[in-house]
Amino acid sequence: MNFDPTIPIARFENVGLRYGLGPEVLQDVKLELQPGSYHFLVGPSGAGKSSLLKLLYLAHRPSRGLVHLFGMDVATTPRDELPALRRSIGVVFQDYRLLDHLSTFDNVALPLRVARVKEDEVQRHVVELLAWVGLENHMHARPPTLSGGQKQRASIARAVIARPRLLLADEPTGNVDDRMGFRLMHLIEELNKLGTTIVVATHNEKIVERLGHPVIGINDGRINVTPGSGPTY
Amino acid sequence: MFRRRTDLPLDRDALSRFLPWLIAFMVYLAAMAQAGMLGLDSMSQRWSKDIGTSLTVQVPPVSGLDKAAKEKSIRRLQDTLNLLSETKGIIRSSVIPESRVLQLLEPWLGAGIAGDVPLPVLIDVETNPANKPDIRVLKQKLSAAVPGIVVDDHGVWLARLVQLIRTMEGFAALVLVLILASAAATIVFTTRTGLAVHREAIEVLHFTGAHDSYIADQFAWRAMALGFKGGIIGLGLALPTLLALGLVAGRIEQGLLPEISLGGVGWISLLVLPFASALLAWWTARATVMRNLAGML
Ligand SMILES: Nc1ncnc2c1ncn2[C@@H]1O[C@H](COP(=O)(O)OP(=O)(O)OP(=O)(O)O)[C@@H](O)[C@H]1O
Ligand SMILES: [Mg+2]
């Protein structure tokens, strides 16, 4: 994988995506994410925000066009090199996708364990991060017993625990109140300052305005990028 | 024994609750087939060793119970023994004692016939397997000297028996292979079901950067534990059955057949079965998962 700061984290060229034989839900997407950039992804429901993120976290291959991640063409990357790419990408899923049979702790620890990090380090990092997102008292609870907002925080913790180079968040504040919403956005902001490239899909206009990052707007499967206005406090 | 942390709730699958019993059943059958194969093999080996290395010469009695008849009998026996000892390729020839002959005939003629009936004299002849005498020439020579003499080299019926046993042995081996194949098929089926049930969780593992082998190992270790458990249960049921069969067979065969036995190596090879089933389960599950995941993105 390439750590060259001049190579974009992600590059899309004429990308189209269709599910099965359905219509193209993304058309002619041309996009570059520079290292350390932060974009919001906005658009009406069903516009294709989650679909664009799926291309970025390798859940789908494009039906046409080129997708490069970290300088590698995903269409020609050998299968056994995909895990390394994926470990550099943290994802907050719109529907959380926590594993119901594992405790909050084990869910958040998953990316570290998959990467075979030593167990004492796993303990340390996970406990620290769970405290940060306010779940220190729910470490041993299973996801079905958590509230929507708690699940959301657990899923954010899982996405960032392994310090990914690219963080993709699909509606990460959809289920929390504004205060927790800004707290979580602040965590993501901190990660961005440390160099993590960020894409956040959101319907929350308040957050978009306040943080003032560039915006990728999707409408009818086509994208349109507007530069950021800078933060307003 | 095989407790490991897993990310997939494999131990809660309904299938994994009855898999050990399926495996136990198959290991039980495998133990039977294997024991049968080994027993038959030792039997055929012992008997085929005897082909062509032993002869029985039967010197007919001279009719009459008077002194002259008895002397003639002794002379005939002497002639026969002389002829045998002169023949190249014969290592040893010994007269089977009359008491033993009576014992062998007892089931047919009843007890207490000693002295009443003229008995043939039986000579047990051991030949050199590396340098066998020509049986036909020997027969001619003996017949010329002693009319009515019978030379039996057991060859034909022993060869047929050994052939039969070998066939049964091959059949037992085939059964064993079929059992292994169906055990493997069972594991493939359970593993595939497990993959379908846990598809969502497997996807999450993939997205967090798990290699296929990380996921396959979880299935494989689980299958190995179940395979071992099933193997132990199956063997635990098979051993008493085999011991009981051995006792029954021992009572029937008495003196008629050489003892059917498994021998030390045979018993040890049975003890290997649970490990073999664990290994088979591990390998099959792993291969199934690897194959299945290779088709995912
Ligand atoms: N797995 C799928 N199979 C078929 N069609 C799909 C699938 N996922 C999404 N779609 C379709 O693709 C289009 C875009 O969906 P997507 O989930 O990307 O929208 P979105 O912008 O994330 O919406 P929301 O804001 O409601 O989450 C929709 O028309 C949807 O019906
Ligand atoms: Mg969506």
Side-chain angles (χ1 to χ4, degrees):
Chain A
M1 214 182 324
N2 219 311
F3 285 84
D4 184 340
T6 61
I7 290 182
I9 293 289
R11 191 160 66 86
F12 282 41
E13 260 175 51
N14 298 319
V15 168
L17 174 68
R18 65 170 84 232
Y19 293 101
L21 297 173
E24 278 202 322
V25 299
L26 292 175
Q27 288 171 40
D28 300 323
V29 175
K30 189 166 158 45
L31 179 67
E32 264 187 23
L33 300 176
Q34 295 304 332
S37 64
Y38 189 143
H39 290 85
F40 284 119
L41 185 55
V42 302
S45 181
K49 301 184 291 296
S50 298
S51 301
L52 184 69
L53 293 178
K54 278 182 201 166
L55 290 174
L56 282 166
Y57 63 77
L58 293 166
H60 270 286
R61 287 188 201 277
S63 339
R64 65 186 169 87
L66 281 179
V67 173
H68 284 252
L69 289 174
F70 309 107
M72 293 172 80
D73 180 353
V74 301
T76 57
T77 303
R79 189 175 158 68
D80 59 345
E81 287 178 26
L82 295 179
L85 286 186
R86 285 175 166 142
R87 283 176 199 182
S88 306
I89 304 171
V91 190
V92 182
F93 299 97
Q94 192 167 14
D95 50 358
Y96 321 128
R97 296 221 182 184
L98 298 168
L99 303 186
D100 285 350
H101 58 279
L102 294 182
S103 66
T104 308
F105 182 97
D106 286 336
N107 266 289
V108 173
L110 209 55
L112 297 180
R113 287 186 170 143
V114 158
R116 306 206 190 275
V117 172
K118 282 204 219 81
E119 197 55 31
D120 55 334
E121 271 180 62
V122 172
Q123 298 286 332
R124 202 154 46 79
H125 288 309
V126 174
V127 168
E128 202 179 307
L129 185 58
L130 282 176
W132 213 96
V133 296
L135 288 176
E136 65 272 38
N137 296 324
H138 299 276
M139 266 197 251
H140 305 292
R142 276 158 213 264
T145 68
L146 297 177
S147 74
Q150 287 166 338
K151 282 188 222 176
Q152 196 143 44
R153 283 180 271 158
S155 100
I156 291 175
R158 182 181 64 189
V160 304
I161 186 77
R163 291 286 192 88
R165 292 174 66 201
L166 172 62
L167 177 66
L168 307 171
D170 204 346
E171 297 282 350
T173 57
N175 264 305
V176 292
D177 58 32
D178 274 358
R179 227 179 69 112
M180 184 46 88
F182 274 102
R183 194 172 149 82
L184 294 175
M185 291 316 288
H186 181 69
L187 168 66
I188 294 174
E189 203 79 2
E190 290 296 308
L191 289 168
N192 181 237
K193 284 188 186 131
L194 292 172
T196 312
T197 307
I198 313 266
V199 179
V200 175
T202 183
H203 285 127
N204 190 328
E205 285 166 18
K206 242 192 282 180
I207 286 178
V208 175
E209 263 173 45
R210 206 140 126 198
L211 296 177
H213 294 300
V215 173
I216 304 167
I218 308 193
N219 231 322
D220 273 344
R222 292 180 184 274
I223 68 157
N224 161 37
V225 183
T226 45
S229 53
T232 50
Y233 294 100
Chain B
M1 181 168 185
F2 298 116
R3 285 240 160 261
R4 280 165 60 111
R5 202 189 58 72
T6 63
D7 303 324
L8 300 170
L10 299 175
D11 48 347
R12 286 190 225 155
D13 292 0
L15 276 171
S16 62
R17 235 168 294 145
F18 79 85
L19 185 64
W21 291 100
L22 270 180
I23 302 262
F25 176 62
M26 291 178 194
V27 166
Y28 180 86
L29 293 180
M32 295 297 141
Q34 198 181 333
M37 204 173 76
L38 291 167
L40 291 169
D41 189 55
S42 73
M43 206 149 100
S44 73
Q45 265 180 24
R46 240 169 309 168
W47 282 351
S48 59
K49 210 169 51 195
D50 287 350
I51 291 184
T53 64
S54 77
L55 300 173
T56 305
V57 175
Q58 189 178 324
V59 185
V62 179
S63 54
L65 291 168
D66 57 354
K67 200 163 167 249
K70 224 170 213 167
E71 269 169 16
K72 198 171 174 198
S73 286
I74 291 172
R75 217 173 325 114
R76 276 184 167 187
L77 178 60
Q78 204 52 57
D79 289 349
T80 310
L81 287 174
N82 286 344
L83 253 172
L84 285 172
S85 63
E86 282 161 15
T87 308
K88 261 191 257 157
I90 288 180
I91 299 172
R92 185 185 57 83
S93 41
S94 53
V95 176
I96 299 176
E98 200 183 60
S99 58
R100 176 80 183 130
V101 176
L102 283 171
Q103 212 184 355
L104 285 172
L105 290 176
E106 202 184 274
W108 285 275
L109 301 180
I113 52 163
D116 299 348
V117 183
L119 291 174
V121 178
L122 297 181
I123 306 171
D124 189 21
V125 180
E126 194 185 331
T127 59
N128 184 352
N131 177 25
K132 287 183 203 160
D134 187 332
I135 305 292
R136 242 167 11 114
V137 174
L138 182 65
K139 270 183 188 166
Q140 276 171 5
K141 270 203 280 182
L142 287 172
S143 303
V146 182
I149 198 164
V150 177
V151 179
D152 181 2
D153 64 357
H154 323 303
V156 176
W157 78 270
L158 257 184
R160 284 211 189 125
L161 197 62
V162 167
Q163 173 94 58
L164 176 70
I165 293 172
R166 287 261 153 85
T167 310
M168 283 161 68
E169 229 181 291
F171 186 67
L174 182 69
V175 169
L176 194 61
V177 168
L178 288 178
I179 292 169
L180 287 182
S182 43
T186 309
I187 289 160
V188 168
F189 172 71
T190 358
T191 306
R192 284 216 192 126
T193 311
L195 282 166
V197 170
H198 302 296
R199 176 105 299 175
E200 285 269 306
I202 289 168
E203 263 179 34
V204 171
L205 287 178
H206 265 153
F207 292 147
T208 50
H211 279 278
D212 292 349
S213 59
Y214 180 90
I215 297 160
D217 279 344
Q218 305 209 356
F219 279 92
W221 278 90
R222 178 80 196 140
M224 183 165 110
L226 297 177
F228 189 71
K229 190 170 155 195
I232 292 286
I233 299 173
L235 189 65
L237 296 174
L239 287 181
T241 313
L242 286 173
L243 288 175
L245 278 178
L247 282 181
V248 173
R251 213 170 290 156
I252 296 171
E253 73 184 21
Q254 270 180 5
L256 188 64
L257 303 170
E259 194 192 338
I260 303 174
S261 82
L262 293 182
V265 178
W267 286 107
I268 289 172
S269 78
L270 287 180
L271 294 184
V272 163
L273 276 174
F275 297 97
S277 72
L279 194 70
L280 178 78
W282 178 84
W283 188 85
T284 312
R286 203 184 140 83
T288 307
V289 176
M290 291 302 276
R291 238 189 104 125
N292 197 286
L293 294 185
M296 289 174 79
L297 177 66

